[in-house]
């Protein structure tokens, strides 16, 4: 798997639990990208000409290949990204398998040409259709935190729709990236329909610069802005799945036992390094103390350790520099009056990237911890007077990826959901919508634009073509040449016939309007 290559041209796959280099992968020289894109274009032309059912059948085979190798894949994700193995199974493997199933099964219906009914009687003689056509070559640039679920969740619909894909996985998880390429090859996809290139940010930038037909980018806000600028220079369309600062609102009528378990899991799953991590918790004042106590007590029960240990619940962070960032945010919050209820320390005794799951109360919006994405194992609590204040706090953020509302009254939860500025709101659950194939994923504001997953994610990967078939091909149109005063009057009657506020005016103008339709054409 790992390429034997000179160290200078390699990226290293590092196990974050130990800091050990576990493999090396040859980097792709940016100068190679034009040739890679040219190969992708040739492959795409053949691929798109295959019947959709053939493409779906291959995606089904891909699903079977993932299923057959699920143990090996889960081990790999844990080794390279650090997450507990159970989380690799529930997130990366499950989402990948379900994405393959969903699109293999539903794409024929979702991509079939769609009739467009016309409301205007003047164009009833025309039959309209929407046709969905592939873009061509999609550049998929991926982060490290869900190194199989994210690229596969985007590449599968792209190829189903008839595109070719060039994947640039994160330089922190090159082995998982290489595995994506291998899975497509093993499933029998034609060469170059899915190609994987290996390297860091400069390679991602070079890929975007070379003008793929669309870019699907998932990563940080800072990188997303660079990608958007580069795409704008070429008018390359892009989807941007960026960071989050998801709020959790806990109302007084919520089940505190369940909500506190959700807060703990939502804050610490993948060591808090999920775009959908619970990053801010707003609790109604009347239950705030009881809720915080439960969160702290449950956090103390969590087992911190390497993801490969089946008992581990919280693994390491991805790199030591990420630990520094979280530590800095925490110190700043404490200096401004936040209280650590449990945790708060680095754990070098366990490895270079361990930080204790930490519960912190009394945070406020002047703190970086409540403004910037934390992306680490911090559960941050703030008490609020009522639901109204909670919603206003939740909306006081540049981000708008997702949020959750916890209440015993699900109707009220749904009502409040409409007031929250986010791409998704869950009532009485956190984050799990990412695993629902039919649920669109994507953000507002600094969290990006466009959608992945679901029918909407598939439609991001096709160009819509409107096809119009005239049912009266021998009939010259009333608006064509041969203009004169009579036509001017008939045109006005025509507008009256269609749009006059009173029906009697419409009927009165019908005959005059018909003069526009039934007229001789001089030209
Ligand atoms: P990152 O922005 O550092 O890197 C993401 C990818 O972009 C990597 O492959 C990287 O090599 C590449 N890249 C870097 N510079 C580039 C450039 N100038 N042009 C093109 N590509 C470039 O992000 P990360 O640390 O890998 O991932 C963590 C971030 O991703 C967090 O902010 C997290 O919230 C976000 N994320 C968002 C979602 C979502 O669906 N919204 C999902 C997962 C992660």
């Amino acid at each position: 798997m790992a390429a034997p290559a000179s160290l200078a041209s390699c990226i290293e796959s590092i196990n974050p639990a130990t800091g050990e280099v576990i493999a090396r992968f040859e980097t792709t020289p940016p100068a190679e990208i034009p040739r890679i894109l040219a190969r992708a274009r040739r492959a795409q032309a053949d691929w798109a000409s295959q019947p959709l059912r053939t493409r779906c059948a291959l995606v089904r085979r891909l699903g079977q290949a993932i299923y057959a190798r699920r143990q090996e894949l889960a081990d790999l994700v844990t080794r390279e990204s650090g997450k507990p193995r159970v989380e690799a199974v529930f997130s990366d493997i499950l989402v990948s398998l379900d994405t393959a199933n969903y699109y293999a099964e539903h794409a024929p219906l979702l991509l079939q040409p769609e009739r467009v009914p016309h409301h205007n009687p003047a164009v009833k003689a025309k039959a309209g259709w929407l046709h969905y056509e592939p873009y061509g070559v999609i550049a998929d640039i991926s982060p490290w935190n869900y190194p199989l679920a994210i690229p596969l969740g985007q590449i599968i619909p792209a190829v189903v729709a008839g595109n070719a894909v060039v994947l640039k996985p994160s330089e922190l998880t090159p082995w998982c990236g290489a595995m994506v390429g291998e899975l497509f090859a093993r499933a029998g996809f034609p060469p170059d329909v899915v190609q994987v290139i290996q390297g860091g940010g400069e390679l991602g930038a070079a890929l975007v610069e070379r003008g793929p037909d669309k870019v699907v980018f998932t990563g940080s806000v800072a990188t997303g802005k660079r990608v958007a600028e580069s795409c704008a220079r070429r008018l390359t369309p892009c989807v941007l799945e960026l960071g989050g600062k998801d709020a959790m609102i806990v109302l007084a009528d919520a089940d505190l036992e369940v909500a506190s378990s959700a807060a703990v899991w939502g804050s610490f799953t993948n060591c808090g390094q999920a775009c959908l991590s619970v990053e801010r918790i707003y609790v109604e004042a009347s239950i705030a103390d009881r809720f915080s106590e439960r969160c702290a007590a449950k956090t103390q029960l969590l087992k911190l350790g390497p993801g490969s240990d089946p008992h581990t619940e919280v693994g390491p962070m991805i790199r030591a520099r990420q630990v520094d960032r979280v530590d800095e945010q925490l110190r700043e919050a404490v200096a401004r009056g936040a209280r650590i209820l449990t945790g708060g320390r680095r754990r070098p005794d366990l490895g270079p990237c361990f930080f204790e799951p930490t519960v912190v109360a009394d945070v406020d919006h002047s703190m970086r911890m409540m403004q910037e994405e934390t992306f680490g194992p911090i559960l941050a609590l703030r008490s609020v007077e009522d639901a109204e204040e909670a919603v206003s706090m939740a909306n006081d953020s540049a981000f708008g990826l997702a949020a959750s509302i916890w209440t015993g009254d699900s109707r009220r939860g749904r009502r409040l959901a409409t007031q929250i500025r986010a791409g998704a709101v869950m009532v009485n659950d956190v984050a799990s919508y990412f695993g629902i194939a039919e649920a669109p994923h994507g953000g507002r504001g600094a969290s990006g634009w466009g959608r992945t997953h679901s029918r909407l994610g598939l439609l991001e990967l096709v160009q819509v073509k409107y096809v119009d078939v005239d049912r009266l091909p021998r009939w010259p149109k009333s608006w064509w040449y041969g203009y004169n005063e009579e036509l001017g009057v008939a045109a006005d009657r025509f507008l009256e016939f269609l749009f006059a506020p009173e029906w009697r005016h419409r009927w009165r103008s019908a005959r005059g309007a018909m003069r526009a339709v039934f007229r001789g054409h001089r030209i």
Side-chain angles (χ1 to χ4, degrees), residues 97 116 145 158 190 226 244 283 295 323 356 364 377 436 448 457 464 467:
L97 283 171
V116 181
N145 61 340
R226 279 181 220 122
V283 197
C295 287
V323 184
E356 288 175 343
D364 67 48
I436 300 172
V464 179
V467 175

Side-chain angles (χ1 to χ4, degrees), residues 142 144 150 168 171 204 217 219-220 223 241-243 275 373 441:
S142 243
W144 61 268
I150 290 176
K168 209 296 284 171
E171 60 275 34
F217 172 80
S220 61
T223 314
E241 292 283 12
L242 309 181
C275 56
E373 192 178 34
H441 174 64

Side-chain angles (χ1 to χ4, degrees), residues 42-55 134 161-163:
R42 280 195 296 276
Q44 191 270 333
D46 277 353
W47 177 243
S49 69
Q50 304 277 331
L52 178 54
R53 293 206 175 268
T54 308
R55 301 201 297 265
N163 298 288

Side-chain angles (χ1 to χ4, degrees), residues 458-478:
L458 183 64
L459 293 185
E460 294 277 5
L461 300 162
V462 290
Q463 312 221 49
V464 179
K465 180 184 280 174
Y466 173 71
V467 175
D468 189 286
V469 179
D470 203 286
R471 293 195 184 102
L472 300 171
R474 294 172 184 281
W475 197 279
K477 304 297 173 254
S478 26

